[in-house]
Structure formats: C-alpha cells, structure tokens
C-alpha cells in the first residue's frame, strides 16, 4: 500500500471513530436528558406536594370526621366571639375589657381564616354565612341540640349585650365571654381527643391555652368590678 493510501485509510478510520464517539455522546446526553426530565417532572410534584401542605397549612393530608366537625363548628363559634368583641367599641368602660376584646378579635379572626382554608383543602363545606350559631350546632347531626355547640350565645344574650353600656356592659361581656370560652375549650379538647389532623390538634391546644388564660383574666376583672 502506498503512503498516500495508508494516510487516507487512517483518516477514514479516525473519522469513523469520531462518528461513533459523537453518537455515543449523543446517546449518553439523551439518556441524561431523559433522566433529568424525569427528575424535573418529579421535583415540581414534590415541591407542589410540600407547597400544598404548607398552603393548606395546615392542614396535612390526614383528617377525620372529628377534624371536619371541629373546623365547621369552631368557625361560627369564633365568629360569634369576634362579634361580641366588636360590641366593646363604644360600649365598654373598663380598659382591660377593651384590651381583651381587641385581643380576641386579633387572635380569632386569623384562626377563622385558617380553618376555612382547611375545609377548602379537605373538600368539605364551609359553614353557611347566613346560618346562626344555633343552626350550626346540629349541622352534622341532623338535630338542633345546642350541646353540640357549647358556650354559644343565644340571640337574646346578644341582644342584651348590645343594649348594655359602661360598667353593665363590662360585667355582662365578661360573664358571657367566660361561658363562650369554656364552650370553645370543650370543643378544642374534643378535637385533641378524637381528631387526627396534626394542625387541627395543634390549633385546638392553642385555643385551650389561650382561652383558659383569658377566662382567668376575666374572672379577675369581675372580682374588682
């Protein structure tokens, strides 16, 4: 074979080897791309899952009927407490009552939003905006047994509180709110005992702690009024 023929053969062999190498790299890149795509497609799902958990907050994925009942009943119970607290403006005379009413509004408003978020996440109905607390008491039982909504104020209680002013308002507000808080604590303790959802049970524990302290404070206020 001549020198020129030998050189040509070497060039063809190198070109072929280069082609094989390029193909191998392409295949490898393709495989890597597929693997990467697989990871990319799973990561959004993972992020979405964790994002969903944090967005739903609460709540985590596990819940039972007790968790649903807790949220569905505590929402209107809290709404009534906020309504009572709003009455302090222009009616309360005692500064500690005013401060307590403001604290109740500040704490329970966001808790209402949290529980509404849980129910939406769980695919469960929100309490009807037009329903009274008394109506809500028997929502899940097909009855109007007010014991299902402990501590709830009657329409007459609310009417009397609206009509009171000054020291009379302060006393009536504290007395009614103590009963209302005791009812919320009972509901929260039921959730701690029977619920499954970790976030709902955590909120229930917070309600027990906060409202027990507020009851003690209101009893102190009543002692000096």
């Amino acid at each position: 074979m001549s020198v020129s023929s030998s050189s040509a053969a070497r060039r063809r062999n190198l070109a072929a080897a280069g082609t094989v190498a390029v193909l191998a790299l392409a295949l490898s890149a393709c495989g890597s791309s597929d693997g990467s795509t697989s990871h990319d497609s799973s990561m959004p799902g993972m992020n979405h899952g964790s994002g969903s958990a944090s967005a739903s907050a609460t709540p985590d994925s596990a819940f039972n009927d007790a968790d649903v009942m807790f949220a569905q009943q505590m929402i209107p119970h809290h709404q009534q407490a906020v309504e009572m607290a709003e009455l302090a403006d222009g009616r309360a005379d005692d500064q500690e009552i005013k401060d307590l009413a403001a604290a109740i509004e500040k704490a329970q408003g966001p808790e209402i939003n949290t529980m509404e978020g849980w129910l939406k996440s769980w695919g469960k109905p929100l309490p009807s905006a037009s329903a009274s607390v008394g109506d809500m008491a028997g929502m899940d039982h097909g009855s109007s047994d007010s014991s299902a909504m402990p501590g709830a104020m009657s329409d007459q209680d609310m009417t009397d509180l609206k009509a009171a002013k000054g020291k009379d308002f302060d006393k009536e507000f504290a007395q009614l709110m103590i009963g209302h808080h005791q009812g919320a604590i009972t509901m929260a303790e039921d959730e701690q005992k029977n619920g499954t959802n970790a976030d709902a049970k955590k909120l229930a524990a917070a309600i027990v702690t906060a409202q027990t302290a507020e009851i003690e404070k209101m009893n102190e206020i009543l002692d000096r009024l």
Side-chain angles (χ1 to χ4, degrees):
M1 180 181 293
S2 67
V3 173
S4 61
S5 297
S6 177
S7 297
R10 282 197 301 271
R11 284 195 298 272
R12 284 195 299 273
N13 290 337
L14 288 171
T19 300
V20 170
V22 169
L23 287 172
L25 286 171
L27 289 171
S28 174
C30 181
S32 172
S33 174
D34 288 343
S36 162
T37 301
S38 173
H39 285 301
D40 288 345
S41 65
S42 68
M43 287 304 292
M46 289 173 64
N47 290 336
H48 176 72
S50 64
S52 240
S54 66
S56 56
T58 73
D60 61 30
S61 58
F63 68 93
N64 64 9
D65 290 345
D67 300 314
V68 174
M69 184 182 297
F70 171 69
Q72 287 178 332
Q73 293 191 350
M74 191 62 81
I75 287 170
H77 201 274
H78 269 22
Q79 286 170 336
Q80 189 179 63
V82 170
E83 182 183 353
M84 293 168 69
E86 288 172 344
L87 294 177
D89 186 22
R91 292 179 175 84
D93 183 57
D94 188 85
Q95 186 59 49
E96 285 190 297
I97 290 291
K98 294 177 182 178
D99 292 343
L100 178 64
I104 289 170
E105 287 186 63
K106 184 177 180 180
Q108 297 197 23
E111 288 175 357
I112 290 168
N113 294 334
T114 294
M115 289 183 285
E116 287 177 341
W118 294 349
L119 292 174
K120 290 176 183 176
S121 175
W122 294 338
K124 299 298 180 180
L126 296 175
S128 170
S130 62
S132 70
V133 176
D135 293 333
M136 290 302 301
M139 183 178 67
D140 288 320
H141 302 286
S143 73
S144 59
D145 180 6
S146 61
S147 65
M149 184 74 72
M153 298 298 100
S154 68
D155 290 341
Q156 187 60 53
D157 288 332
M158 294 299 293
T159 298
D160 291 343
L161 187 60
K162 289 176 183 178
K165 284 186 178 294
K167 192 171 184 178
D168 288 340
F169 176 88
D170 297 336
K171 287 182 177 179
E172 191 159 1
F173 176 87
Q175 290 166 347
L176 291 174
M177 191 63 81
I178 286 171
H180 201 271
H181 274 19
Q182 288 170 336
I185 290 169
T186 297
M187 294 163 66
E189 288 175 340
D190 286 344
E191 166 61 18
Q192 288 180 296
K193 179 180 178 181
N194 301 314
T196 297
N197 184 267
D199 297 306
K201 289 166 76 75
K202 183 178 179 180
L203 177 58
I207 288 172
V208 171
T209 299
Q211 298 202 17
T212 296
E214 288 175 349
I215 287 172
E216 291 175 359
K217 184 65 177 177
M218 287 184 284
N219 278 321
E220 291 173 3
I221 293 172
L222 285 173
D223 286 344
R224 66 169 175 74
L225 284 177

